[in-house]
């Protein structure tokens, strides 16, 4: 096995765009390993094992980085990865293109090339859409009661 040297990074600040891109790259890196051990990761064959892997990566790379940042404060936690609800009450979220709620990533042609998003009106989650990852701009929306704050970068 080839040994790789760790890459130094400035973890004092990062954009939400880079966090989601890094999460996508983590999914792409883990998918071949999952396949090798018999875990299916392409819909409609996804089961609990892949849900646990993808949710863990999302929590560790995206949610915790944002929720522990200087910008976050006492806002509601970000809704989990690939969680599909009717209402968004009590959660903050990742916003896509200033319009949609990010639900997850899936594969259409290349690994994790598409964002699954939902319309969001007055905390009601609406129609589901697919948008090419390359056309998505991400930000976090921190919610606390009726207060909403858009966050494009986080720092520690």
């Amino acid at each position: 096995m080839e040994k790789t040297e760790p890459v130094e990074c400035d973890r004092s600040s990062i954009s939400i765009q880079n966090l989601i891109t890094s999460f996508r790259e983590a999914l792409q890196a883990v998918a071949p390993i999952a396949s090798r051990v018999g875990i299916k990761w392409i819909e409609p064959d996804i089961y609990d094992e892949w849900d646990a892997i993808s949710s863990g990566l999302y929590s560790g790379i995206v949610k915790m980085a944002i929720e522990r940042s200087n910008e976050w404060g006492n806002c509601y936690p970000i809704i989990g990865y690939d969680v599909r609800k009717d209402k968004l009450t009590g959660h903050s979220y990742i916003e896509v293109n200033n319009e949609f709620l990010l639900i997850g990533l899936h594969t259409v042609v290349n690994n994790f090339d598409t964002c699954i998003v939902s319309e969001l009106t007055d905390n009601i989650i609406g129609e589901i859409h697919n948008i090419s990852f390359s056309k998505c701009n991400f930000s976090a929306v921190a919610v606390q009661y009726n207060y909403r704050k858009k966050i494009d970068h986080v720092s520690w």
Side-chain angles (χ1 to χ4, degrees):
M1 179 186 282
E2 185 178 315
K3 183 178 179 181
T4 59
E5 294 297 317
V7 176
E8 293 295 322
C9 98
D10 176 14
R11 182 114 199 271
S12 62
S13 71
I14 192 168
S15 71
I16 305 305
Q17 189 77 29
N18 281 337
L19 286 173
I20 301 294
T21 299
S22 297
F23 166 65
R24 177 184 183 224
E25 291 168 353
L27 292 174
Q28 292 170 325
V30 171
I33 298 165
S35 292
R36 191 169 53 234
V37 298
I39 297 172
K40 299 193 187 273
W41 53 271
I42 298 176
E43 290 191 29
D45 299 323
I46 296 172
Y47 294 106
D48 294 343
E49 296 91 346
W50 184 254
D51 287 342
I53 291 167
S54 57
S55 293
L57 289 171
Y58 185 77
S59 180
I61 294 171
V62 178
K63 281 183 52 126
M64 292 172 89
I66 297 169
E67 291 171 359
R68 293 179 177 180
S69 72
N70 296 329
E71 292 76 11
W72 196 252
N74 287 328
C75 293
Y76 296 141
I78 294 171
I79 192 167
Y81 182 73
D82 205 15
V83 172
R84 299 172 195 230
K85 296 178 151 198
D86 294 332
K87 291 187 175 187
L88 195 62
T89 307
H91 287 95
S92 298
Y93 56 95
I94 301 297
E95 186 176 67
V96 180
N97 297 344
N98 297 315
E99 181 177 6
F100 299 105
L101 160 75
L102 177 66
I103 295 173
L105 304 178
H106 74 177
T107 299
V108 172
V109 177
N110 297 310
N111 295 353
F112 309 102
D113 60 353
T114 302
C115 295
I116 304 169
V117 301
S118 173
E119 296 175 358
L120 183 63
T121 306
D122 297 327
N123 280 345
I124 305 296
I125 297 174
E127 189 173 337
I128 304 292
H129 302 277
N130 292 333
I131 302 175
S132 171
F133 188 90
S134 64
K135 295 183 179 178
C136 291
N137 294 305
F138 303 98
S139 57
V141 177
V143 178
Q144 186 179 34
Y145 305 107
N146 291 327
Y147 171 76
R148 291 185 185 321
K149 172 173 64 171
K150 185 174 180 176
I151 300 171
D152 292 320
H153 286 77
V154 290
S155 60
W156 304 272

